[in-house]
Amino acid sequence: MSDIPERWGRASVYPDMWADPDEDPRDSDGPAPHGELATLQDFLHNYRLTLRMKCEGLDAEQLARRSVPPSTMSLLGLVRHLAEVERDWRNWLRPDDRAPSLYGPDDGDFEGAAAEQALADGAFADLTREQKATDAVLAGFTDLGAEVMEDGTSARELWVHRIEEYARHCGHADLLRERIDGRVGQ
C-alpha cells in the first residue's frame, strides 16, 4: 500500500481542468474587463479565487499538511502568508500607519500553520480582511502611473506584483493539493 494518493480530477468536459467551465466561478460569459485597471483587478480576483478553490473541501489537518521535509510550506501556510503579504503591501503604502505582523517574525506564517480548525478559520478570515483593507487603500490610486511608495514604485507595479505573488503561490497550491488528495487541474 502506498501513501501516495491516486491522481484525479473532478472535471468531465476537460479532464485536466479543476472544474468544468460551466461550474468554474472564475469564468464568465460576460464581457471582458475594459481598461488596464479592470484587467488587473480581474486577474487578481481570479488568482485569489483559485487559491480558495485549491483549499476547498479540506479539513484543518489537510490544510496544514506540509509538502516535503524540510519545507514548512502548506496550503494553510500559503493562506496565512498571503494575508501577511497583503498587510505588508498596505504598510508600504502607508508607512506612517503601519499595522503589526499578523503571525510574528521569521516565517511565522508558515511555521505556525497548525492542524487546528480555529486556526484555519482565522487564517481565511485574516486573508479576507487584509485583502479588503489593501484593496480599499489601492482604490485611492486611480492613476496607475502614480508613484505610491517612497522608492518610486507605481500603482501599476504594485498591482502586477500582487498578481505575480498570487500566481506563484497558486502554482504551489496546485502541487500541495495534489500531494494531499491527488486532485489535479488548472
Side-chain angles (χ1 to χ4, degrees), residues 1-143:
M1 214 80 209
S2 172
D3 65 345
I4 299 173
E6 186 175 327
R7 297 179 87 220
W8 64 283
R10 184 169 291 159
S12 60
V13 176
Y14 302 106
D16 63 330
M17 295 179 77
W18 185 259
D20 285 327
D22 59 346
E23 295 175 6
D24 192 336
R26 298 165 300 179
D27 295 333
S28 73
D29 292 330
H34 182 70
E36 185 179 7
L37 179 58
T39 300
L40 294 170
Q41 290 168 330
D42 187 59
F43 270 84
L44 181 61
H45 170 79
N46 286 333
Y47 278 120
R48 285 173 168 175
L49 199 50
T50 297
L51 177 69
R52 288 184 183 273
M53 290 169 69
K54 294 292 177 171
C55 295
E56 234 170 44
L58 299 177
D59 62 29
E61 185 280 322
Q62 291 170 313
L63 288 168
R65 192 176 301 166
R66 296 194 173 167
S67 59
V68 292
S71 177
T72 60
M73 191 175 292
S74 66
L75 286 168
L76 181 56
L78 288 176
V79 170
R80 289 165 51 102
H81 171 71
L82 287 165
E84 192 76 75
V85 169
E86 289 281 358
R87 181 169 278 204
D88 287 344
W89 287 321
R90 198 168 61 259
N91 282 339
W92 296 342
L93 290 166
R94 300 171 120 173
D96 298 334
D97 187 23
R98 296 184 63 80
S101 174
L102 287 167
Y103 307 113
D106 302 327
D107 213 22
D109 39 5
F110 288 102
E111 287 288 345
E116 300 169 18
Q117 193 59 52
L119 194 120
D121 293 344
F124 282 99
D126 289 345
L127 180 60
T128 299
R129 182 190 65 246
E130 296 304 317
Q131 287 171 338
K132 286 180 181 178
T134 302
D135 290 347
V137 171
L138 266 175
F141 300 103
T142 55
D143 176 4

